[in-house]
Amino acid sequence: DVKVTQSSRYLVKRTGEKVFLECVQDMDHENMFWYRQDPGLGLRLIYFSYDVKMKEKGDIPEGYSVSREKKERFSLILESASTNQTSMYLCASSRGGTSSYNEQFFGPGTRLTVL
Amino acid sequence: AQSVSQHNHHVILSEAASLELGCNYSYGGTVNLFWYVQYPGQHLQLLLKYFSGDPLVKGIKGFEAEFIKSKFSFNLRKPSVQWSDTAEYFCAGLTYNFNKFYFGSGTKLNVKP
C-alpha cells in the first residue's frame, strides 16, 4: 500500500512564525502536491513538484514556499504565518507521466491553527 | 479554463435511498476523472476513476459513475446508501499533462439511520 505521511496531525502556531509542514511518501512517486482544504471550497492546490528540486505554483501559492530536496519528501513552508492560513493541509503523491495509475494518494492531513 | 464543479454542497438522505451526486467538467481533450471520498476524521481515498473505455465505471463499496461526454458530466451513483456512507465526496479531473488535478468543492453526504 502507498503510504503518505505528514509530520503532524495538529499544529498551533502564532502569527509571524515560520512554519514547516513535512510530507513523506514511500512509493517512489515522481509527483507530490500540497493542498489546503477549507469548508465549502474543496481542495485548492498550493504547489506541486514533478521531480526533485522542481516545483510549480498551484492556484494559491501566495504566502507559501516549498522544498523538494529528496524524491520522497516534500515540504511546505509558511514564511510568516497569518491567521488566514488556518486550514487543513493535505499532501498527496502520484506517479508521473501518462500512466493510468496517476491517481493521487493522500496523507492524513495537518490541521494548522494560527493564533 | 479547466475546472470541475459539484453543484450539490450538502445532501441528506435516509438509509436505503438512492444517491446521485453531480459532477461537471469544463475542458476538452483527453479526460481523466475521479471520485474521492473522505470519511469523518480520515484521509481522502479513491472511490473510482475513468480513463477510457466503458463509460460506466464501478468502484468500491457499491459506488458507480457514468461518464457522459455530451453532457460533460461524471455523476456518482449508489442504488442504496448506508449510514456508513456519511462522508464528503470530491470529484476531480486530471489536466492534459496528466499531472495536475482539479478538484470540485465537495459534497457532504449525511445518511440518517
Side-chain angles (χ1 to χ4, degrees):
Chain A
D1 279 354
V2 176
K3 283 228 176 103
V4 180
T5 56
Q6 295 182 229
S7 49
S8 306
R9 290 301 301 270
Y10 299 94
L11 208 53
V12 179
K13 295 291 181 181
R14 297 205 175 273
T15 302
E17 280 193 76
K18 191 168 186 176
V19 182
F20 293 88
L21 303 182
E22 304 286 339
C23 175
V24 177
Q25 50 94 4
D26 67 358
M27 282 301 291
D28 201 36
H29 283 169
E30 288 77 16
N31 303 326
M32 295 189 75
F33 307 80
W34 275 106
Y35 295 90
R36 62 179 283 176
Q37 183 181 12
D38 299 289
L41 298 177
L43 277 71
R44 292 180 292 167
L45 183 64
I46 304 171
Y47 268 97
F48 67 104
S49 168
Y50 51 87
D51 202 352
V52 175
K53 297 192 186 293
M54 305 299 287
K55 60 185 179 184
E56 285 198 26
K57 292 180 180 179
D59 301 314
I60 52 164
E62 296 78 20
Y64 303 94
S65 62
V66 290
S67 172
R68 192 159 180 210
E69 297 296 319
K70 293 185 178 181
K71 191 174 186 180
E72 68 272 16
R73 188 179 297 270
F74 192 35
S75 303
L76 179 69
I77 302 152
L78 286 66
E79 296 290 342
S80 177
S82 63
T83 54
N84 62 13
Q85 292 178 310
T86 292
S87 186
M88 172 70 86
Y89 289 88
L90 299 179
C91 176
S93 72
S94 71
R95 292 191 190 187
T98 57
S99 165
S100 63
Y101 296 100
N102 284 92
E103 66 181 272
Q104 293 194 356
F105 295 86
F106 284 84
T110 295
R111 186 164 292 283
L112 172 67
T113 301
V114 182
L115 302 175
Chain B
Q2 297 156 334
S3 70
V4 171
S5 59
Q6 294 176 245
H7 302 297
N8 312 108
H9 298 295
H10 198 176
V11 173
I12 301 172
L13 294 173
S14 298
E15 276 194 315
S18 65
L19 169 73
E20 182 160 2
L21 301 182
C23 172
N24 290 93
Y25 61 94
S26 66
Y27 51 88
T30 304
V31 177
N32 302 281
L33 297 162
F34 303 77
W35 275 98
Y36 281 83
V37 61
Q38 188 176 34
Y39 297 103
Q42 296 188 27
H43 63 276
L44 274 104
Q45 53 189 288
L46 183 70
L47 266 182
L48 48 80
K49 59 186 177 184
Y50 171 79
F51 278 82
S52 63
D54 189 343
L56 185 61
V57 179
K58 294 197 183 296
I60 61 171
K61 306 189 180 189
F63 286 91
E64 64 179 32
E66 186 173 11
F67 171 62
I68 303 178
K69 191 173 182 179
S70 60
K71 295 184 179 180
F72 296 91
S73 70
F74 189 57
N75 292 354
L76 181 71
R77 301 195 294 243
K78 187 171 184 180
S80 176
V81 295
Q82 301 171 315
W83 176 77
S84 58
D85 293 324
T86 294
E88 190 160 16
Y89 293 81
F90 294 91
C91 184
L94 263 182
T95 59
Y96 69 94
N97 65 354
F98 298 95
N99 279 330
K100 187 178 172 184
F101 268 55
Y102 285 91
F103 280 87
S105 55
T107 299
K108 283 191 176 176
L109 172 65
N110 193 348
V111 180
K112 295 180 180 178

